[in-house]
Every structure is written in C-alpha cells, then in structure tokens.
Amino acid sequence: MTAHSPSPHASLTAEPSRALGGTIRVPGDKSISHRALIFGALAVGETRIRGLLEGEDVLATAETMRRLGARVTRHEDGTWSVFGVGVGGLQEPAVPLDFGNSGTGARLVMGLVAGHPITATFIGDASLSRRPMGRVIDPLTEMGARFHAREGGKMPLTLTGAPRALPVTYRSPVASAQVKSAVLLAGLNAPGVTTVIEPVPTRDHTERMLRAFGAHIETKQGKDGLEISLTGEPELTPCPIAVPGDPSSAAFPVVAALLVPGSEIVVQGITLNPHRAGLYTTLKEMGGDIEVMNQREEGGEPVADLRVRHSRLKGIDVPPARAASMIDEYPVLAVAAAFAEGETRMTGIHELRVKESDRIAATASGLRANGVKVHESEDGMVVEGRAGAVGGGGHVATHMDHRIAMSFLVMGFAAEKPVTVDDGSMIATSFPDFTGLMRGLGASLVGQTQ
Ligand code: S3P
C-alpha cells in the first residue's frame, strides 16, 4: 500500500435509514473560518472568533498563521483569539507551511505571503499537490512575487514575496473566489489600488470581512464584469467574528432529509449569502420542500434556519450562470438528481475537474456503481433520475475528497441497499462530526473512522 492509498480501516457504509428527524447546527463556514484567521493575523490586536470550523483544513491555516508570526489560541469555551501583527508585519516561517488537503488555505496564504518580503515553502497532501496553482502564480508574479513550483505550476512550491508589491488590475480568467482573494490579500501590502475584475461574481466573504476590518474596498459593475478595488496599506482593526453555519456542509443533511421518506429536519443558523445559496434555489426548483425561516443578519452575513421535509423531486436544467454559487454542491446535487423523476442537466461546471478530486469523474463513477445512468461531458453531466428507486449496493472511490464521501453516504441512507465509501477519513477536513450528527438524526452509518 502506498502512503496515499485509502486505509482499509477508514471505509464507511451508509445503510438504508428510517425517517430522519431533529434540529441541528452544522459546523462553521469553511470559507469564512479561513478568512477570519488570515485577516485576524493582519489586524493589529486581538480578533475574537466564535463558531470557527475546527476541521483539518482550517486548523492547518491556524497553524500557518502561527508560523507567520501571529498568536492564535483556542479558549475553553470554543472561541478563538488571533493576535495579529499588522499588514506588512508577517515573519518568515522557519519550516514549510503544510496545508494538508486545503486549496483555499494554500491559495489565500500565497496571496498573503506574496505581499511580504519573506520566503515560504508550501506543501500539502497528494490531492492538493495535483491541483493547479498557476491561476494564483500568474497574478501574484505580476505583483512582484517569485515562485519555484513543480512542473505545471503544482505544489510543493517556494514563494518569495515582493519587497514592494505592485498594485495591479487583474481580470481573472477563472471564476474563482480563491484567485480574487489571493490578489486582494497581496494588494493589502501594495501602495495604491489593486483591482480584480470577475467575469462571474463569486463568493464575497473576503470583501465583506475586509470592510468589517476597516479596509477601503469598492465594488462596481464594469464592462468586463464586477470590479473590486482595494486601497492598499490600510491599518486593519480587529473585529469580533461570529462564523455562521456552512451551507456547503448543511447540503448533506438537507439532501438526506429530502430523499429519506418521512423525514423532517431543521438546520439552524446557516449563511444564505447569495453567492453560496445556489443549491437551495435548485433543490426548491426540483420540488424540494425547504422552508427558509428566521432570516437575519449575523456578523455581516445573511443567516437563516431551514426546515426540510421529504419530497418527490423532479429533474431540471441547472442554469450554468448559477454554478459559482453552488460550485461545491454538485456532487450532492447529482445524488439528489439520481432520486428525482426525469433528467437533471448540469453544465458550465468544468471547474469541478480541479477540485479536491475530478468531481465530475468521481461523481459519475459513484453514480454508476450504484445503478444510476449518467452522461459525462467535459464541462458537465446529465443524471437520469430513478424516481426514488436507486439500487445502491455500490463501493465508491472518494479520491481523497470529503464531498464525494459525504455525497455517496447520503445516497446510502435513501437507496435500496447500503453504499460504502472507501475512505471516510477526509470528511474531517470540513465536517468533523458528520457521522455523529447524521446518526443523531436517525441515519445508519457503520465504519471505523469516527
Ligand atoms: C472557496 C472558493 C471555491 C470553493 C472552495 C472555497 C473559497 O473555490 O470551491 O471550496 O473559500 O474562496 P474556487 O475559488 O477555486 O472556485
């Protein structure tokens, strides 16, 4: 067995389950958690964070902030404090920075380091070492950073930040909040205005949090897309952060409740930021009974509770323009589509091929292993729904991808026969208590990981 083979002890099996019921909270939003630690490290003084996601990806970012000179502590009540060093104040790390499975952590911190005159080496696991970094290497090189990367712009790589970063105007060729955020993070320590032009708007947590920390950031619609302009060299002031529940994690219990007959659950306190809520719109269009309750604003993000009841779903065409707002949710949507009546067509999602795994290929082969027909194209897939009668009984290869693992476990709760995923250990990157929480709702999961 090689170091990256899934451990035979980490397989997990989801069994056909009785009706799910209960009220839950899902862990804190992963995107917001990474950013809270990073902006906390750049503010002068203490940033207090409530509801931080304590998944492996975010813990790797916390450790990185320590290596770069910030003091990061966890209190007994589960809140966290970051004592930042100020924009421009990061220190050179003595050891390589290890991001594990996390593309978000790695790419955002590349932006951060690029704006400081320090050198750092970025390492990660086999999945992260396969993912493209050229998309951040290109703009950050324009801003004055220097990279030594593996062939094809892959990690491990070593980055030397710019002695004096250049503010740029960068039109991102990919719809990626990670690229936008990396450029803005480098722009924080550049004299002048750094502008990112997004052809398609992506999640805006960086912009919201930068404003909350006192940076001057303006957004306007230009002829080539949304223009986000940041004035460099601000003094960032700490601001308390309440991290809302992660809609990408909530997707798993929500879809499970839609699929398992007789279910009714409530998921409390998730962000329905419009750049993140595409899955919920889509599931409602498919006939999902999802009631949005108690809409409110918390920590600068729109937040709500969801009541979800078992529903008969129908297949739809998912508009490609919606892709950015549900980019991490296509695998679990494909599982929902397998139970729907009719075809569900997903297009404009070629970015799924460069996530923690090639999610189009991994999803399609997981569906086939469970008796569901799917047609794969370069930038999409069409799932032939089985109107509630999915055979299951398959063994699914997760390719070190937490969302592939959770999606097919959800399938197993509602299929006729159990579904096994080869490796459940990666679930801890984003949703540490997934198995406990699903069991609490009444789902049946057997395995040896958690
Ligand atoms: C994220 C952006 C998305 C998403 C990822 C988190 C972020 O990636 O898939 O899970 O926090 O900025 P891309 O920016 O590559 O689309």
Side-chain angles (χ1 to χ4, degrees):
M1 193 171 77
T2 69
H4 305 302
S5 303
S7 152
H9 301 297
S11 71
L12 265 179
T13 299
E15 299 179 324
S17 298
R18 60 184 162 86
L20 306 179
T23 297
I24 53 168
R25 279 187 173 273
V26 293
D29 186 79
K30 182 152 73 71
S31 295
I32 297 174
S33 294
H34 283 295
R35 287 161 173 81
L37 292 166
I38 293 171
F39 291 124
L42 288 176
V44 182
E46 179 183 3
T47 295
R48 194 77 177 218
I49 309 168
R50 190 158 52 83
L52 188 82
L53 166 64
E54 294 178 347
E56 287 168 4
D57 282 11
V58 173
L59 296 179
T61 293
E63 186 53 25
T64 296
M65 293 306 109
R66 292 188 186 110
R67 302 260 182 233
L68 292 169
R71 191 149 69 80
V72 182
T73 54
R74 182 186 194 275
H75 303 278
E76 267 178 19
D77 63 358
T79 60
W80 287 67
S81 289
V82 183
F83 296 86
V85 293
V87 172
L90 297 182
Q91 73 183 29
E92 187 161 283
V95 295
L97 304 175
D98 188 350
F99 292 90
N101 192 246
S102 178
T104 307
R107 295 194 180 111
L108 265 54
V109 174
M110 283 179 202
L112 184 67
V113 169
H116 285 73
I118 59 175
T119 294
T121 296
F122 290 68
I123 60 173
D125 70 10
S127 154
L128 183 53
S129 304
R130 281 193 292 266
R131 297 181 65 184
M133 295 298 146
R135 54 182 59 198
V136 286
I137 293 177
D138 291 349
L140 297 177
T141 302
E142 258 184 56
M143 297 177 84
R146 284 180 293 121
F147 287 82
H148 294 280
R150 271 198 314 126
E151 176 84 15
K154 304 277 168 71
M155 286 170 58
L157 62 75
T158 297
L159 156 54
T160 300
R164 188 126 179 88
L166 299 170
V168 293
T169 293
Y170 187 67
R171 187 177 187 284
S172 180
V174 275
S176 166
Q178 293 178 4
V179 172
K180 167 176 65 178
S181 301
V183 173
L184 293 175
L185 276 158
L188 276 174
N189 204 24
V193 175
T194 293
T195 300
V196 180
I197 305 174
E198 286 195 295
V200 176
T202 62
R203 65 192 70 195
D204 60 355
H205 308 301
T206 295
E207 298 89 308
R208 286 174 188 255
M209 210 177 284
L210 273 172
R211 270 192 205 106
F213 277 81
H216 184 71
I217 184 156
E218 274 175 20
T219 303
K220 71 173 187 340
Q221 193 58 49
K223 66 176 186 348
D224 292 332
L226 197 63
E227 298 178 4
I228 302 124
S229 299
L230 168 75
T231 305
E233 301 180 311
E235 169 132 343
L236 296 184
T237 325
C239 139
I241 295 175
V243 181
D246 194 325
S248 301
S249 297
F252 302 107
V254 164
V255 171
L258 289 173
L259 300 183
V260 177
S263 300
E264 175 169 341
I265 68 166
V266 173
V267 186
Q268 292 181 324
I270 68 163
T271 178
L272 286 186
N273 178 314
H275 297 294
R276 298 290 301 284
L279 174 74
Y280 299 98
T281 309
T282 304
L283 290 171
K284 282 198 213 167
E285 285 175 6
M286 293 172 78
D289 183 349
I290 300 175
E291 194 185 329
V292 178
M293 306 182 300
N294 302 328
Q295 283 181 278
R296 56 207 186 262
E297 182 155 321
E298 281 177 14
E301 296 278 349
V303 168
D305 305 334
L306 301 180
R307 180 186 301 283
V308 187
R309 297 184 183 91
H310 169 253
S311 309
R312 284 180 198 282
L313 301 179
K314 59 179 189 332
I316 61 163
D317 282 6
V318 186
R322 200 178 283 161
S325 70
M326 53 181 292
I327 196 69
D328 291 334
E329 282 69 77
Y330 282 92
V332 77
L333 173 66
V335 167
F339 287 83
E341 192 180 330
E343 283 183 356
T344 298
R345 197 174 294 276
M346 309 169 210
T347 49
I349 54 172
H350 54 271
E351 271 296 299
L352 260 67
R353 296 214 179 263
V354 291
K355 294 294 179 185
E356 284 83 331
S357 68
D358 175 342
R359 285 185 174 157
I360 296 181
T363 302
S365 78
L367 290 173
R368 287 187 195 112
N370 288 288
V372 180
K373 287 198 181 128
V374 52
H375 310 276
E376 201 185 313
S377 63
E378 187 44 38
D379 82 332
M381 55 188 154
V382 180
V383 178
E384 286 188 23
R386 297 188 49 85
V390 171
H395 285 250
V396 176
T398 55
H399 302 281
M400 304 181 77
D401 190 327
H402 54 134
R403 298 200 200 280
I404 296 297
M406 289 185 276
S407 298
F408 283 96
L409 292 172
V410 166
M411 171 177 271
F413 302 140
E416 286 154 11
K417 294 201 210 86
V419 175
T420 298
V421 300
D422 64 358
D423 183 8
S425 62
M426 305 310 291
I427 293 173
T429 60
S430 69
F431 200 156
D433 192 30
F434 173 76
T435 52
L437 187 135
M438 292 309 303
R439 284 187 186 126
L441 291 173
S444 179
L445 265 169
V446 286
Q448 294 164 45
T449 38
Q450 290 167 60

